[in-house]
Amino acid sequence: MSDLAGTVLLAAAAVVVVLAALVLYRVVAGPTTHDRVMAVNVIGTSIVMVLALISAGLDRPEYLDIAIVYALLNFVLSLVVGRFTYDAEGVDW
């Protein structure tokens, strides 16, 4: 991979980090638990994207394994939080 392509991928990773930092506001201020859970899930997905971009940018494929494990943990976290906050009478939006 050329140096330019690697630099572009690393810059894209930096942009995703900045956007994920903006979503952090929703984690802190989200009016409901579901808003906070969704924001945490978005941040987790952003971290997976950053790991994949860094992996491609630095030509280090072993980082993709970390990204895959993190994506699975992010998914399981969403399921667990959804299970324990489930309300049989429905969600109050």
Side-chain angles (χ1 to χ4, degrees), residues 65-88:
D65 296 335
I66 298 169
I68 291 170
V69 169
Y70 195 85
L72 288 172
L73 289 174
N74 192 26
F75 177 69
V76 169
L77 171 74
S78 297
L79 290 178
V80 168
V81 170
R83 174 71 177 119
F84 286 114
T85 60
Y86 175 72
D87 186 11

Side-chain angles (χ1 to χ4, degrees), residues 36-87:
R36 290 185 173 105
V37 170
M38 287 300 295
V40 168
N41 200 357
V42 167
I43 290 172
T45 303
S46 299
I47 290 172
V48 171
M49 289 175 50
V50 167
L51 286 172
L53 289 169
I54 288 174
S55 172
L58 297 178
D59 201 20
R60 302 281 306 258
E62 61 266 14
Y63 290 165
L64 286 177
D65 296 335
I66 298 169
I68 291 170
V69 169
Y70 195 85
L72 288 172
L73 289 174
N74 192 26
F75 177 69
V76 169
L77 171 74
S78 297
L79 290 178
V80 168
V81 170
R83 174 71 177 119
F84 286 114
T85 60
Y86 175 72
D87 186 11

